[in-house]
Amino acid sequence: MNWREYVRNVTPYIPGEQPKIDNLIKLNTNENPYSPSGVVKDELKKLAEDYDCLRRYPKPNCDALEEALSEYYGLPREQIFTGVGSDDVICTLFLTFFHSSLPVLFADITYSFYEVWAEFAGFPKELVPVKEDLSIDINDYRKENGGIVIANPNAPTGKALPLEKIEEVLKFNRDSVVIVDEAYVDFGAESAVSLINKYDNLIVTQTYSKSRNLAGLRIGMAFASAELIAKVKAIKFSINSYTMNEPSLRLASAVLKDEKYFRECCDKVIKTREWSVEEFKKLGFTFPESSANFVFVTHSKVNANDIYKALRERGILVRHFSIPRIDNYLRISIGTDDEMKALFAALKEIVA
Ligand SMILES: *Cc1c(COP(=O)(O)O)cnc(C)c1O
């Protein structure tokens, strides 16, 4: 026997690159272009004064953060779970709830991590094709399954489903756990958190990485019935009790107080997106209507990979996926107005 025969082989997810290039315009990983709230800076200063707190383990139940979230969302703590980014949260949900011999349903064009986790967790999956216009048809989710996961708005398309459609999926699947991944919800979609007390099989996940300008902090959360949350916590405590570090817990709790700045940043991103889509149109791009902080564009004449390369040469990074059906598209994050102006100046040369 050799260890190579019993190693667990997986195909990992490939995150968007984070290269060190001077003056790079980074529109490839949907980070927020604006700085975190000033509350974060104040809290970091307080933490420096109280650095001895790092000698001890953090609270395993993430008390401060879960209490702050409980107050912010008006939900009891028993209905909240937190983790190291929503990637950690969703992976733990998959390990907890997707344990059947029936396939878990998700779209063929969606967050590609779902497929990676499915393989890792070892449950069967069925990739449900999105329609020609890249939309999710909820009628495709009316079949026997071992669970469902839907990103709303979907990534990388940016298309959102209205709340009634999410509710239809829930009504039709009372015996399955349905995960709604709301990583981009704050940029213009309706949240399904309002439905968790009506459907005890629903779990909604959100993150600090996009709309709260704190991808570097790694904070994600899930909201669901107390029964589902208890199940996922049991799994978490079977893997690692101390998933979240003390500084992250403190900063993430404090930043919830600055609602004004959060709304301002989301509004600015939405405004820049609305201006950007008009610019994309003028240059001959088409795209599904975006409810997120990115636009998924394709050009009638110039190939997406060629545009990707030409932009990269000019120090502008966007995301291209070499995946069937969408390999002629680019996912472009919404940056500041100045970054987008630089993007359009470059695109004008490239697609002219
Ligand atoms: C970015 C993203 C996540 C993960 O975000 P975290 O940084 O891990 O919180 C989850 N789902 C979708 C659809 C995303 O785009």
Side-chain angles (χ1 to χ4, degrees), residues 205-218:
T205 64
Q206 293 186 5
T207 173
Y208 276 50
S209 298
K210 284 51 184 250
S211 57
R212 291 193 181 271
N213 325 26
L214 284 165
L217 207 56
R218 310 303 303 126

Side-chain angles (χ1 to χ4, degrees), residues 37-40 42-43 46 64-65 68-69 71-72 208 212 214 249-263:
S37 153
V39 165
V40 172
D42 299 340
E43 213 45 46
K46 278 193 223 162
L65 178 57
L69 287 167
E71 197 183 313
Y72 184 86
Y208 276 50
R212 291 193 181 271
L214 284 165
L249 290 170
R250 289 190 185 202
L251 301 181
S253 313
V255 80
L256 289 173
K257 290 179 212 136
D258 197 356
E259 182 69 7
K260 185 164 168 275
Y261 184 75
F262 162 64
R263 293 284 164 207

Side-chain angles (χ1 to χ4, degrees), residues 52 87 90 162 168 195 199 278 309 320-321 323 341 343:
D52 190 53
D87 284 343
I90 300 167
E168 273 185 60
L195 297 178
Y199 298 92
E278 295 307 319
K309 285 189 215 145
H320 175 253
F321 299 92
I323 294 175
K341 279 177 197 154
L343 169 79

Side-chain angles (χ1 to χ4, degrees), residues 52-167:
D52 190 53
C53 69
L54 297 179
R55 189 165 54 82
R56 299 191 187 279
Y57 280 110
K59 295 271 192 314
N61 268 312
C62 307
D63 292 335
L65 178 57
E66 291 189 4
E67 272 156 27
L69 287 167
S70 164
E71 197 183 313
Y72 184 86
Y73 285 89
L75 289 169
R77 268 198 64 181
E78 299 72 45
Q79 292 190 264
I80 300 171
F81 174 71
T82 50
V84 185
S86 50
D87 284 343
D88 176 45
V89 170
I90 300 167
C91 181
T92 314
L93 296 176
F94 275 35
L95 290 170
T96 311
F97 298 109
F98 296 162
H99 206 59
S100 135
S101 54
L102 292 168
V104 171
L105 310 180
F106 50 87
D108 63 337
I109 307 296
T110 190
Y111 190 38
S112 48
F113 228 140
Y114 301 153
E115 220 180 326
V116 175
W117 289 318
E119 193 194 322
F120 171 63
F123 56 76
K125 59 178 191 283
E126 185 180 327
L127 276 62
V128 183
V130 296
K131 299 298 167 206
E132 202 49 44
D133 68 353
L134 303 178
S135 63
I136 288 175
D137 182 346
I138 53 137
N139 292 313
D140 297 337
Y141 294 78
R142 290 173 190 247
K143 55 172 99 166
E144 259 206 317
N145 62 73
I148 290 176
V149 53
I150 293 179
N152 194 40
N154 197 12
T157 64
K159 277 181 94 88
L161 284 169
L163 197 57
E164 310 96 74
K165 296 284 180 189
I166 296 287
E167 189 159 9

Side-chain angles (χ1 to χ4, degrees), residues 109 134 156-157 296 304 320-330:
I109 307 296
L134 303 178
T157 64
F296 198 51
H320 175 253
F321 299 92
S322 299
I323 294 175
R325 295 190 77 185
I326 57 166
D327 57 1
N328 202 26
Y329 280 83
L330 295 172

Side-chain angles (χ1 to χ4, degrees), residues 257-273:
K257 290 179 212 136
D258 197 356
E259 182 69 7
K260 185 164 168 275
Y261 184 75
F262 162 64
R263 293 284 164 207
E264 273 169 18
C265 288
C266 290
D267 288 347
K268 275 204 279 189
V269 170
I270 292 167
K271 208 169 152 217
T272 305
R273 179 187 73 208

